[in-house]
Each structure stands twice: as structure tokens, then as C-alpha cells.
Amino acid sequence: MNQPVRVKTLKIDGRDVSGREDETILEVARQNGIFIPTLCNLEGLTPIGACRLCLVEIKGVSRLLPACVTRVEEGMEVYTQSERLQKYRRMVLELLFSERNHICSVCVVNGHCELQSMAQILGMTHVSVPYRFPRLPVDASHERFVVDHNRCILCTRCVRVCDEIEGAHTWDVMGRGIDSRVITDLNQPWGESETCTSCGKCVNVCPTGALFEKGKPVSERLKKRQFLPYLTMMREERR
Amino acid sequence: MTPEELRKLAESQEEARPEPRHRIKICVAAGCLSAGSDRVREALQNEITQRRLEGECEVKGVGCLGLCTAGPLMLVEPDGVMYQNVTETDAADIVQSLGKKPVERLVCPADMSFFTKQYKIVLENSGVIDPEKIEDYIARDGYTALARVLEDMSPQDVIDEITRSGLRGRGGAGYPTGLKWSTVAKAGGSRKFVICNADEGDPGAFMDRSVLESDPHRVLEGMAIAAYAVGASQGYLYVRAEYPLAVKRLRTAIRQAERLGLLGNNICGTTFSFHVDIRLGAGAFVCGEETALIASIEGKRGQPRPRPPYPAEYGLWGYPTLINNVETFANVAPIIRNGGDWFASIGTEKSKGTKVFALAGRVKNTGLIEVPMGITLREIIFDIGGGIPDGHQFKAVQTGGPSGGCIPEQYLDMPVDYESLAKVGSIMGSGGMIVMDETSCMVDVAKFFMDFCVSESCGKCVPCRVGTAQMYHLLDKITSGQATMDDLALLEELCDMVKYTSLCGLGQTAPNPVLSTLQYFRDEYIAHIVDKQCPAGVCQMRH
Ligand SMILES: Cc1cc2nc3c(=O)[nH]c(=O)nc-3n(C[C@H](O)[C@H](O)[C@H](O)COP(=O)(O)O)c2cc1C
Ligand code: SF4
Ligand code: SF4
Ligand code: FES
């Protein structure tokens, strides 16, 4: 028998809203048209709380909490837009832009990159930390796809979609800290991967130009993600 | 094994082995071992064999005797003499002197404040028993707490006793142990786990290693009592692989306890069963963070995940899990034996009992110490530590490792407890304590810890992964005379941002060494930036 679903009422930015007990602050905010910026999160994949863009303030809680993984609770008072949060979010973006070599003007997804558009939305006008300019490789060994580590923001969407949806687990992360890097199989060239099914899901979920399909004009490099919520829904139905 | 049988076993142990006239206890913990105590032990044994004194004199390897700087250390009984800096060539003199006048040149004065100002609970057996003999532990009331718990106490009674004691987690954060146990006990479900966190990754810290190497059964007994209280039947000891001696002694200890029915199925003939397995960590600092540790045991990449849910509710493989530090578990059996009120009578209002510290840096006596909470920093550094050597001046003391801060002279008379340390911008941490004199540059110290955080960051979240690298870069600019005041302002902004936005404790505390040195030694930062010089003469300026 199904457990009865409990509904919680809470306030987000002063507005009264309600959500199911298993929903996150981010989900409930979106249902109510309240915008909370995100990067690592993608509907249909397990949220991991890694990019920290979605941090919100909760009355009575001293820590800032990521909206993408924090469940709603009765009586919660959530604030999503304080000046402090906006400053931190801009700094997260500045750190990301400084980490690798993001040169938008020559990027394959210029104009439809989530990192770029997030910078516009959040009003990040300059990068105050020094650029690190690391030397990073590009792997074009796959017959259809390319991974350009210069543009990777380590959101691990590719890792999660490949593991959770495709079931291939071709992608993983190697190294730690500032030296972390996504890899295919045991750090082999992508083209030699034995597990990759060439389904292209990773390319479609990648928020930046780090993963792209060869030989397509920039205008056609829109990422298609509608398949994710659909697949998730169908899986849950069957459970 | 019933408590009655346990007592009998302890007594028969005493009788079976006729007391030798002389007993030499030599420290075989890692510090003295690396100073050659195993060779000394062999030389002593040879000497005794040659003189045909086997029946009269016993040489016994024991755990840490504390004053690691002066190792190898040994204690001669019943004379009660302690020898320091012993070498193989001293063996003949020592054996010859047994029962007579001690060998003057080797004597370590036992009335030193190093010994008298300490209070031993966690280390009570350290240096007394042979860590590879369960009988030794039992002869010192070992496993009587577990037997008592199983015979007379309900799980709730145990939790009440721990709560009454006021014990707080010794792994760093100081979370009330009784509260944590009761949360896990209340969590539903039939499967629960108990984990002992022995990852000890702070640079220079070796408190937990010493406990495991000197008295492994104490930790196992604490875990078993915890398992009974929260309703778990499987435990894991997560030990870093760099501690092979601790691992070996733990393996031996688990085997011995299982043989006597003190671990395994139907412990002490009751329905309570508890199995303990060892898991080795690959030496990543972040794997000491509880959610990363759990991921690592599950065979995944050792990365933290956001909390809540806390492990108490959703831990190993999704089951409620109790995770405590080695030293926390080591306090459990004495609390049960002597009562929570006894433990609560030691220490300050909010910090009870004792704390083990690894005293290091610019003090005369470095080593492992156990002191009552509430002792002052001055007593630790000047009485126990013997002050600063070579006529140098005290400058600061660093506690809490890469997550802590530097405390200046004006707070030396402050009591050592969780709240006081936090108030001055440091933390109790797991017990690292590094004393610095005027030859240390505080900016350089901050840079050292930031470097550590950069290489130990797991890389999952942006503020810690990129923020620590950027902060390190700025500190490097400052220490090489290349920075401007704008760089300092940026550094302070990054400290604030990384502290409040990072996912786990590593990132959240990584700015602490910078923040505390900025708070108390800002003039040193300014000297590097404006005057382009390092007041301590440590940093090389690049022009
Ligand atoms: C980066 C990081 C490293 C840690 N390392 C350790 C460690 O080596 N040993 C330990 O006991 N706790 C460590 N902790 C604390 C654990 O997460 C956890 O709080 C502790 O094991 C709980 O035990 P306690 O309540 O007995 O202190 C660490 C925490 C962080 C954030
Ligand atoms: S390659 Fe793309 S999807 Fe994968 S971690 Fe990097 S930015 Fe994210
Ligand atoms: S704070 Fe650092 S160690 Fe912790 S999750 Fe983030 S990157 Fe990993
Ligand atoms: S979207 Fe929540 S942390 Fe990235």
C-alpha cells in the first residue's frame, strides 16, 4: 500500500508555498516561478550539491544550504536573493572562469552555454581573481565526440548521466582538488573506451563546450535534455 | 564469558605468571621504535640470557610512555626508574644495575612536570600493558565494562551514563557523544553500523595511532559497548594504511577478543553479537570526514556529500550509522566502570574529561600528553612542555591543524576547552598542538596549511577546489614580496566566501589558519606587502 504523502508549507522569499515532503527547496521554488541559479544540478540526475550556486539562507540555520539537495520542511523560511548570496554566487562563477581556459569567443557553444548565461544573469562583469591558465588536453579520439578539458567545470553531469541513465559508467573523475579531471574508462582515450555506447547523453547534458559533437555548426549545437525527465518518470512508474 | 569468568581469568593470569623480580618495560610504539627500541629490547634480552637471569628479569614491550623526544624510553619495575635515550650499548649497565643504584646518566626524572601535570584516562594503560596480550588488558579491568553493560544495563542506561558523563567527540567538532548515540538508537530499522574513525590525517598528529598501538582492546571495548547501546551488530575500524603497526595490533586484538567470546557471536553468553572488521584508508585527509569515510568503505571515491541527512540517520549503505573517533571510544569503558558523574567531575563546565595532545614544535619536551580539560595553554607549554628551548621567545601555538588557528601569547592563560579555543579563532581539533617561537613567520605558517588544503581538497565543490588554490597563490605572492594591499583584500574576501560556501568541513575550515594569523599578526602581513620584508627572516623575497 502506498504511504500517504505529506505536504509541507513554507515560505520562500516571503511567499507562502507548499511542497511534498520528498521535494527539495529548488523543486518547490521552480514550481512557483522563483528563480534559484544552478549549474551542477540537472533534473533527472541525482543532485550532488557541488557547484554551490544554489545556496540559500534559512531562518534559524547558521549554515547556508544548497537548495538542490535540501528537503522542504514545515515552517521553513527560505531566502534566495540576499546581497550576501548574490556576492557569493558571483564569486563562484569568477572562480570557475579563473580555473580553466574559458574563451567564449572561440567556443563551440558560444551563445548557448550555461556558464556564460549564468554569468550574464547574475551580473558577473569581471573576474577579480587571477586566471590560472592551466595547460590541459583536448581528446578528439572518439569518432563523433570531443572532450575539451579547458572548458570543463567538473559538474559531473556527464559522469552521472552515463552511470545513472545509460548504465555504462564510462565517465569518472580522476585526481583530486585543483588537479581533478574527468576521464573515460581507466583514463584511456575516449575513442578506445570499451564501455562507451556512443549514445551522446553526456554531450547533451554538459553545460559548457567541454563535450561537443564533431562537425556541427555552432547554431545546431543546442543541447537536448528533454529525454531526462521523461526517462526518470517512466522508470518511477514501473517501480 | 561471564563477568565472573572474566575476573577468574584475570586472577589466574596473575597467578600463572610468577612475578619476576625485575621487569623492564620498553616502549615499542612508533616513536621509540623508530629511535631503535626494538634493537635495545633485543640487546637487553641477550644480556639477560647471557647472565642467566631469565627467571628473575622480564623484558616487556609496552605502548607509548609519552616523552617521545627522549626515546627510546623504558621503565624499570619495581624500582620505578625511567630511562631515556637508551641505546644497545647501555643494555649491560642497565641489567647490571637492577635492584641496585640506577644508571645515573640515563635516568629521566619522573617528578618532571611533564609527568605530574598529566591526567591519564585514555592513556592509562599506555606504557603499562603489552598491547599484544589481551590478558594484560583484562588484568587491568579490561572488558569488565562490557560485561557489566551486558549483564546489568539496558541500552538506554548506557546512553544515559554516557550523556551524564558529558563526553564530547574527540574527532574535532566536539559533538555530544550521548546525543549522537541516542539519535542512532532511535533511528529505525534492523541493520545499523558502528564505525571507528581512525583516519587521523592532520599533519603531525599521532594521538589516535598511539592509542591503537598501545591499547587496542580499549577501543574495541568502547565500540562493542556503543554497538550494544545503539543496536548495531557490525562495526568497522577505518584505519589509514600508513599505520601498519596499529593495524597489526588491532588484527591481533580482534582475534584474541573473538577467541575469548568478547567479540563475535553471543558475547559473554548473551544474545548480543558484534563483529568488527578493519578497513584501510589510502591516506586522503578528506576521508576522515564522516560522509567521505563512509563512501570509501562502500568502495566509492572518498568524497563528502551534503549533510543532512547525517550518518546517524542515513549512513553506511543507507543504514543508520554511529561514527566516533578513536579517542572518543577509548573513553567509554572508563566511564562505564567509574560512572558518568566521575568523568563529569573532571574538566570544565562544558568540556569534560581529558584530551590527548601531540605536543610538537619549539618546546623542550615534545610527545604525547593527556591533560584534564581546563588546563591552561601556559601549563601545557611551559610546565609539561618545559618551555621554549635555546632561550627563544614564545610566539604562538597552533591547535587544530589545517582547520585550526594560531593563538598568541595574550591567551596563554586561557583554559583549554572547546568553547574557549573557538572564541579565539582556533579549534580543539583532534589534538595537534604546535608551538612556535619568534623564528616562525606567521604568513609562512598560514601558507603551509593552505598548501596542505590545496593538495587534500577532494575537488568536488567549487569554493574549496578553486578557492584554496587561489588563496594559496595570494599567500605565495605575499611571502615573496610581490603582493599589494588589494591582494590582501581579495584574500580576505576569499576566506569569507570559502568558509561559508564550501560543502564539507575541509573547505569550511581551510581559511582558519589565515583568518587567525590575520587577526593576531596582521602587521606581519603588512610588513611582507608594504616593506617587502619578512620580520622573522623566513621568507625569501623575489624582486
Ligand atoms: C576534512 C575532515 C577530516 C576529518 N578527519 C578526521 C579524522 O581523521 N579522525 C576523526 O576522528 N574525525 C575526523 N573528522 C571528523 C569526522 O567527520 C567526524 O566528525 C568524527 O569522526 C566524529 O567522531 P566524534 O563525534 O567522536 O568526534 C574530519 C572531518 C573533516 C571535515
Ligand atoms: S565534461 Fe561537461 S558535463 Fe562533464 S564534468 Fe565537465 S563540464 Fe560537467
Ligand atoms: S569542501 Fe573541499 S574537500 Fe569538502 S567537498 Fe568541497 S572540495 Fe571536497
Ligand atoms: S545546483 Fe545546487 S550545488 Fe550546484
Side-chain angles (χ1 to χ4, degrees):
Chain A
M1 216 180 72
N2 279 338
Q3 289 274 327
V5 181
R6 292 208 181 81
V7 175
K8 311 275 178 181
T9 56
L10 61 153
K11 269 192 165 70
I12 304 183
D13 292 336
R15 275 176 55 188
D16 288 310
V17 295
S18 61
R20 271 198 337 255
E21 62 180 346
D22 60 349
E23 284 180 316
T24 63
I25 295 173
L26 178 66
E27 286 169 319
V28 174
R30 283 192 175 156
Q31 289 155 18
N32 289 279
I34 299 168
F35 172 76
I36 299 175
T38 55
L39 261 183
C40 64
N41 186 73
L42 187 64
E43 198 186 334
L45 300 180
T46 309
I48 54 168
C51 74
R52 318 303 283 169
L53 269 191
C54 69
L55 288 181
V56 294
E57 289 169 350
I58 295 167
K59 195 173 169 190
V61 179
S62 58
R63 286 190 303 147
L64 305 174
L65 291 175
C68 65
V69 292
T70 308
R71 298 263 163 96
V72 292
E73 272 168 39
E74 187 62 38
M76 238 179 190
E77 278 184 48
V78 184
Y79 298 92
T80 70
Q81 296 300 332
S82 74
E83 227 165 87
R84 178 172 173 229
L85 289 174
Q86 299 197 25
K87 184 178 98 186
Y88 287 159
R89 287 172 187 157
R90 279 194 296 270
M91 285 178 85
V92 165
L93 291 177
E94 288 181 41
L95 288 175
L96 279 176
F97 274 101
S98 80
E99 184 180 17
R100 296 193 172 182
N101 306 304
H102 296 277
I103 305 165
C104 300
S105 54
V106 298
C107 180
V108 288
V109 293
N110 189 10
H112 34 257
C113 164
E114 285 183 53
L115 180 64
Q116 191 183 40
S117 60
M118 204 49 83
Q120 283 157 358
I121 295 169
L122 299 183
M124 189 208 87
T125 50
H126 65 287
V127 175
S128 52
V129 289
Y131 288 98
R132 298 178 44 83
F133 298 124
R135 291 179 64 93
L136 290 164
V138 177
D139 177 2
S141 60
H142 193 281
E143 58 174 335
R144 283 171 55 205
F145 310 126
V146 180
V147 51
D148 181 351
H149 293 283
N150 293 286
R151 300 172 185 144
C152 171
I153 58 168
L154 293 168
C155 67
T156 71
R157 283 186 189 178
C158 54
V159 178
R160 284 175 283 154
V161 80
C162 186
D163 177 44
E164 296 171 10
I165 307 293
E166 180 63 8
H169 202 130
T170 301
W171 290 101
D172 215 322
V173 182
M174 159 186 105
R176 63 181 181 217
I178 197 77
D179 299 322
S180 306
R181 198 149 46 87
V182 289
I183 51 168
T184 39
D185 284 358
L186 298 168
N187 196 23
Q188 286 138 313
W190 194 356
E192 291 168 24
S193 163
E194 289 182 6
T195 57
C196 175
T197 61
S198 300
C199 72
K201 289 191 175 67
C202 54
V203 175
N204 277 311
V205 298
C206 179
T208 70
L211 300 180
F212 60 94
E213 192 161 354
K214 288 180 181 170
K216 273 200 183 167
V218 171
S219 56
E220 280 173 35
R221 285 210 173 102
L222 284 165
K223 310 242 170 175
K224 301 187 190 69
R225 298 184 185 134
Q226 300 78 344
F227 70 95
L228 263 177
Y230 175 74
L231 279 178
T232 319
M233 182 185 77
M234 293 309 283
R235 286 188 177 187
E236 268 166 19
E237 294 273 288
R238 218 175 296 159
R239 232 175 246 163
Chain B
M1 179 156 298
T2 65
E4 192 48 40
E5 289 168 339
L6 205 58
R7 264 189 299 279
K8 284 214 187 92
L9 180 77
E11 279 161 20
S12 68
Q13 278 305 316
E14 293 298 293
E15 284 160 22
R17 261 187 299 146
E19 266 306 284
R21 286 247 313 276
H22 307 286
R23 179 176 282 154
I24 302 176
K25 292 182 167 174
I26 177 155
C27 171
V28 289
C32 284
L33 262 189
S34 65
S37 68
D38 49 343
R39 291 194 303 274
V40 179
R41 181 185 185 170
E42 220 180 282
L44 284 167
Q45 200 61 61
N46 289 342
E47 196 62 37
I48 289 166
T49 320
Q50 264 174 27
R51 291 169 192 250
R52 304 195 184 287
L53 292 172
E54 291 98 328
E56 273 183 54
C57 180
E58 181 194 39
V59 182
K60 193 174 162 99
V62 294
C64 186
L65 286 164
L67 191 57
C68 306
T69 12
L73 292 170
M74 61 174 66
L75 194 64
V76 180
E77 286 176 346
D79 313 8
V81 190
M82 181 134 166
Y83 289 136
Q84 58 186 2
N85 296 319
V86 186
T87 63
E88 294 115 289
T89 50
D90 297 322
D93 289 351
I94 291 172
V95 174
Q96 187 152 27
S97 77
L98 290 174
K100 307 192 194 94
K101 243 174 77 69
V103 189
E104 280 303 333
R105 65 170 197 281
L106 299 172
V107 171
C108 172
D111 58 347
M112 270 172 69
S113 336
F114 181 84
F115 298 104
T116 54
K117 283 244 171 177
Q118 296 198 45
Y119 190 133
K120 304 217 168 174
I121 298 174
V122 172
L123 301 177
E124 63 185 350
N125 288 341
S126 195
V128 178
I129 64 165
D130 182 337
E132 303 196 354
K133 293 212 173 98
I134 191 170
E135 296 81 6
D136 269 29
Y137 181 67
I138 291 173
R140 303 260 306 170
D141 287 337
Y143 289 108
T144 53
L146 176 62
R148 159 112 67 85
V149 160
L150 295 182
E151 196 168 59
D152 300 334
M153 295 170 85
S154 71
Q156 189 58 45
D157 293 340
V158 178
I159 292 173
D160 289 345
E161 204 62 46
I162 298 295
T163 307
R164 192 169 312 126
S165 77
L167 176 64
R168 294 169 64 174
R170 301 295 194 238
Y175 192 80
T177 306
L179 185 57
K180 198 186 264 190
W181 287 23
S182 88
T183 313
V184 181
K186 281 187 192 137
S190 52
R191 275 188 92 181
K192 291 179 190 174
F193 295 101
V194 167
I195 297 177
C196 175
N197 187 343
D199 194 52
E200 197 166 56
D202 290 27
F206 58 97
M207 300 75 55
D208 295 347
R209 180 181 75 182
S210 196
V211 172
L212 296 174
E213 286 177 0
S214 307
D215 200 5
H217 284 287
R218 157 181 302 267
V219 179
L220 295 177
E221 185 177 3
M223 287 178 74
I225 292 170
Y228 173 75
V230 303
S233 51
Q234 174 68 47
Y236 291 98
L237 254 156
Y238 189 88
V239 194
R240 46 189 304 167
E242 290 94 328
Y243 287 177
L245 187 61
V247 171
K248 178 173 156 262
R249 292 199 175 144
L250 279 168
R251 290 220 163 98
T252 309
I254 292 173
R255 211 172 329 114
Q256 291 169 340
E258 282 172 350
R259 209 181 49 226
L260 294 184
L262 295 164
L263 277 183
N265 289 331
N266 303 100
I267 296 176
C268 296
T270 66
T271 52
F272 172 62
S273 299
F274 181 59
H275 298 262
V276 179
D277 285 310
I278 295 176
R279 288 289 177 272
L280 297 187
F285 176 58
V286 73
C287 284
E289 196 281 336
E290 52 192 28
T291 59
L293 188 151
I294 286 171
S296 172
I297 294 183
E298 289 172 351
K300 302 193 191 118
R301 186 174 156 87
Q303 276 191 331
R305 61 153 178 81
R307 302 175 308 173
Y310 289 89
E313 188 193 325
Y314 189 91
L316 191 57
W317 294 298
Y319 297 103
T321 301
L322 173 74
I323 174 160
N324 274 131
N325 167 260
V326 170
E327 196 182 326
T328 314
F329 281 125
N331 273 302
V332 169
I335 290 174
I336 298 294
R337 264 190 273 126
N338 306 321
D341 292 330
W342 160 79
F343 193 81
S345 71
I346 308 158
T348 65
E349 198 198 326
K350 288 188 177 159
S351 305
K352 302 299 187 188
T354 60
K355 180 76 194 87
V356 181
F357 287 102
L359 187 60
R362 304 287 292 169
V363 275
K364 285 205 186 92
N365 309 321
T366 59
L368 201 70
I369 60 167
E370 181 171 359
V371 290
M373 296 275 191
I375 190 172
T376 65
L377 284 167
R378 191 182 297 282
E379 286 172 283
I380 294 182
I381 296 164
F382 289 90
D383 297 340
I384 298 177
I388 319 295
D390 311 325
H392 285 287
Q393 278 291 310
F394 171 85
K395 184 170 185 179
V397 53
Q398 213 278 346
T399 65
S403 319
C406 293
I407 304 169
E409 178 149 28
Q410 74 228 55
Y411 295 116
L412 275 181
D413 292 308
M414 186 189 80
V416 171
D417 60 40
Y418 291 98
E419 277 72 26
S420 306
L421 287 169
K423 214 168 2 165
V424 299
S426 190
I427 58 165
M428 175 80 73
S430 54
M433 189 177 274
I434 305 166
V435 181
M436 289 171 280
D437 64 15
E438 79 281 0
T439 61
S440 292
C441 166
M442 290 296 127
V443 192
D444 188 57
V445 169
K447 188 173 96 171
F448 167 82
F449 285 114
M450 192 57 73
D451 188 23
F452 180 83
C453 291
V454 172
S455 38
E456 294 299 328
S457 162
C458 81
K460 179 171 182 171
C461 72
V462 181
C464 171
R465 181 180 77 232
V466 195
T468 54
Q470 289 287 7
M471 287 192 283
Y472 176 80
H473 172 79
L474 290 166
L475 288 165
D476 187 54
K477 257 175 113 175
I478 297 174
T479 53
S480 59
Q482 315 260 301
T484 62
M485 289 302 281
D486 286 345
D487 287 325
L488 183 62
L490 182 59
L491 178 65
E492 295 195 83
E493 262 192 60
L494 280 171
C495 281
D496 173 69
M497 184 259 185
V498 173
K499 183 176 171 133
Y500 291 106
T501 60
S502 291
L503 191 159
C504 86
L506 194 156
Q508 287 158 9
T509 58
N512 285 356
V514 182
L515 287 169
S516 76
T517 48
L518 269 170
Q519 187 178 352
Y520 301 118
F521 302 96
R522 200 180 182 85
D523 50 334
E524 285 193 34
Y525 282 80
I526 308 285
H528 285 79
I529 296 169
V530 179
D531 311 329
K532 310 278 174 221
Q533 62 178 350
C534 173
V538 174
C539 305
Q540 295 290 319
M541 299 290 146
R542 287 196 294 265
H543 294 290

